Amino acid sequence: MAVVRNGRRALTRLRVREQWAAAQYLDVSLGTGRTHQIRVHLTHLGHPVVGDPVYGPNWSKGMSGPNRPWAQELERRTPRQLLHASDLSFVHPSTGEQMQFRAELPSDMEDVVQWARGDRKGHDPTG
């Protein structure tokens, strides 16, 4: 999966929710549904999903300066990809009914987000 000139059209909308020391917390909405679309587009932009073993392994390695230790610590604290589908909606293929689902951020991800916001008293998921 990659962004290529003559590839299939894919639309991803991004909004920065929070700016952290060396990363951003984004709201992402999809206009299309391509395989790994969010991960591919963010990597193409030079901002892979933290914890993504395929498109963004060791994303902090390329960083330098004072934010590198923060980025390395964020990566260390991340138990998996920091990618979560909070809202999902679609038209049911049989009934035509609009279906909508919402899921809160899982606690392991919430711990990482709280740490990134500066709450250093939060639970350390890695011990």
Side-chain angles (χ1 to χ4, degrees):
M1 308 299 156
V3 173
V4 294
R5 171 164 280 187
N6 294 318
R8 294 172 65 196
R9 181 181 173 276
L11 176 64
T12 305
R13 293 178 188 89
L14 308 170
R15 183 180 71 82
V16 176
R17 180 188 284 195
E18 296 177 20
Q19 178 66 52
W20 297 337
Q24 295 173 326
Y25 188 5
L26 303 175
D27 284 327
V28 179
S29 62
L30 300 175
T32 53
R34 304 287 179 235
T35 303
H36 300 184
Q37 181 174 326
I38 295 169
R39 297 162 64 198
V40 168
H41 281 177
L42 287 174
T43 298
H44 179 75
L45 293 172
H47 299 281
V49 173
V50 176
D52 187 334
V54 175
Y55 298 100
N58 302 314
W59 66 273
S60 64
K61 270 188 158 179
M63 293 185 182
S64 61
N67 286 331
R68 185 174 187 190
W70 185 94
Q72 289 172 323
E73 182 63 15
L74 177 66
E75 195 167 46
R76 185 189 74 77
R77 288 174 173 269
T78 302
R80 56 190 168 109
Q81 291 182 70
L82 284 182
L83 184 61
H84 171 67
S86 62
D87 296 283
L88 178 66
S89 64
F90 58 90
V91 175
H92 192 283
S94 298
T95 67
E97 180 184 2
Q98 180 71 31
M99 308 294 293
Q100 294 185 313
F101 303 91
R102 178 152 180 80
E104 295 301 318
L105 198 62
S107 62
D108 61 339
M109 288 185 170
E110 184 63 37
D111 289 340
V112 175
V113 168
Q114 290 303 320
W115 179 88
R117 287 176 175 154
D119 177 9
R120 302 305 192 255
K121 293 178 249 172
H123 169 69
D124 182 348
T126 62

